[in-house]
Amino acid sequence: IAVAAQLGEEDCATLAGGCISPQPAHLEQIRALVQVLRQQIYRLRTGGGISEEILWARPVATDREPVAAVCSRPPYRALAVGLQEVDWRHLESLLLKQGFALQAVETCREAGRVFATEPPDAVIAAADLPDGSGTLLTHYLRTQERGDDPVVVLVGDAAAEGPGAPPATEPWPGCDADARFAAPIDWAALAQGLPALRERRRSAPGVLCVTSDDEEAAGMGALLRGAGYRVRRCRDPRRFAREVLTSEPELVLIDLPPAGDAAGELLRWLRSDKRCAGVPVILLATETIEDGEALPAPAIDAALTERATKPVAAQSLLSRVAARIEHSRALKHLFAESGRQVSSPAMRAPAAPA
């Protein structure tokens, strides 16, 4: 830390002395150095050891050549939660090669404070944590604003994992994580897979599944995730509004008991809020719809709401989901193009004569 800080002081003194004309790149170099120093000090405070990455070689500065940066600022942030018996220096080096700066905390509570300030780009969490589990931590993250953006990878063995456990690199059933690695953990493979997982999550269409049945939720979640969708589950209909507004799904899948009018209430709220009135909905119902029978009042808009009778075959459900999302995207594109044409000077109506 002292050596890196001294190098930074020499760079600043060179700029302040007027030997080099200051450029915006110089400020970025200094900011990158400060960030690395903060990371190393934090690592020492948490007992993780110091990384030698800050002592990268740099060319000698001349009067005509700007001082090279001690390091470049990693574009992404990775948060490690509750990892034990880890070679922090090795893990930090692997993540830096993939563009991720590493930050470490021990508990769910500490991770929650990080989520509240600015969600990281990736979360690597242990399956079992001192004050919770990786699955619960993932669900909590997904309920936060922008909580659908970070990639979440769970490592270790789940306490409830049984003989029918999924293979490595797949999340546990019903979990909102993107991948999991069972022990022994291949940290190199984990680090190399983070950029692809992040890109897949950012580009994947989001689906919100509203159901109180754990078995149904696990089945639909596994099916949709396997098809490349980003899935969030809403267990309690009373949290539907918050889930929709925080996750901004491209489709809502509702599977609620036929008793009462819970699905109708959710649809009425959805169609009444201009922020999400255009989100397509698929209603899963147990009763058969007779020919000519009218759909419930909130579901009469056939362009946005579809009703399917259970049980629904897996391929049929995937086809319906894909068709609804593509139809919604086409409508948005059409309206956007129409708006641009109307707002262009050539398409405006001529002014009335004086």
Side-chain angles (χ1 to χ4, degrees):
I1 290 177
V3 171
Q6 183 176 3
L7 293 175
E9 289 178 357
E10 292 174 358
D11 291 350
C12 293
T14 302
L15 294 174
C19 299
I20 299 176
S21 177
Q23 301 293 329
H26 299 144
L27 180 58
E28 290 301 319
Q29 293 172 6
I30 296 172
R31 285 175 174 169
L33 172 63
V34 172
Q35 182 183 16
V36 171
L37 291 176
R38 286 174 175 170
Q39 292 170 0
Q40 301 307 327
I41 293 172
Y42 183 83
R43 289 251 48 80
L44 288 177
R45 286 178 176 174
T46 56
I50 191 169
S51 170
E52 295 179 356
E53 298 291 338
I54 62 173
L55 302 180
W56 293 346
R58 61 178 202 153
V60 179
T62 64
D63 291 344
R64 297 182 180 180
E65 184 180 6
V67 179
V70 175
C71 68
S72 59
R73 179 194 302 180
Y76 308 120
R77 295 168 50 238
L79 177 67
V81 186
L83 301 187
Q84 302 293 331
E85 300 179 359
V86 176
D87 185 344
W88 290 104
R89 181 179 300 178
H90 179 59
L91 178 58
E92 191 169 28
S93 175
L94 292 173
L95 291 174
L96 280 172
K97 291 178 182 178
Q98 303 300 327
F100 289 85
L102 179 63
Q103 179 182 358
V105 295
E106 293 296 329
T107 64
C108 293
R109 183 182 296 272
E110 293 174 333
R113 296 194 187 101
V114 177
F115 298 160
T117 54
E118 183 179 0
D121 299 285
V123 177
I124 307 171
D128 295 316
L129 298 169
D131 56 346
S133 68
T135 301
L136 293 177
L137 178 66
T138 304
H139 178 69
Y140 172 76
L141 171 62
R142 298 305 186 209
T143 61
Q144 305 303 302
E145 185 176 0
R146 294 174 53 201
D148 277 336
D149 294 339
V151 170
V152 179
V153 178
L154 301 183
V155 298
D157 298 319
E161 191 173 2
T169 73
E170 291 294 332
W172 285 280
C175 180
D176 293 324
D178 298 276
R180 66 106 167 175
F181 284 77
I185 301 162
D186 188 343
W187 294 109
L190 188 154
Q192 292 172 4
L194 279 183
L197 287 174
R198 182 177 180 275
E199 182 61 29
R200 186 176 72 179
R201 167 157 285 277
R202 292 177 65 88
S203 60
V207 177
L208 177 63
C209 294
V210 185
T211 178
S212 56
D213 189 318
D214 292 338
E215 186 176 352
E216 291 282 350
M220 288 191 297
L223 177 66
L224 293 170
R225 289 190 184 94
Y229 294 98
R230 183 163 37 94
V231 184
R232 182 190 286 197
R233 178 190 175 187
C234 176
R235 291 179 173 84
D236 187 352
R238 293 173 295 183
R239 296 178 56 87
F240 178 72
R242 178 176 178 179
E243 296 285 359
V244 170
L245 296 177
T246 56
S247 64
E248 298 182 355
E250 291 198 52
L251 181 136
V252 175
L253 189 61
I254 300 179
D255 181 13
L256 293 174
D261 190 29
E265 291 294 332
L266 299 185
L267 278 170
R268 277 188 281 272
W269 177 87
L270 193 68
R271 299 299 178 232
S272 65
D273 193 303
K274 64 180 181 180
R275 293 170 292 182
C276 46
V279 177
V281 176
I282 295 180
L283 285 170
L284 299 182
T286 54
E287 66 274 12
T288 304
I289 304 175
E290 301 293 341
D291 292 339
E293 179 184 351
L295 295 177
I300 58 176
D301 187 356
L304 292 175
T305 306
E306 180 177 354
R307 187 170 178 177
T309 304
K310 296 171 60 178
V312 183
Q315 290 302 322
S316 175
L317 181 60
L318 290 178
S319 298
R320 292 169 183 263
V321 170
R324 285 292 165 181
I325 291 179
E326 288 301 320
H327 183 251
S328 175
R329 288 181 172 180
L331 287 178
K332 291 179 181 177
H333 179 72
L334 178 63
F335 292 146
E337 289 295 327
S338 300
R340 279 194 289 267
Q341 291 178 3
V342 171
S343 61
S344 63
M347 295 296 294
R348 291 173 186 165

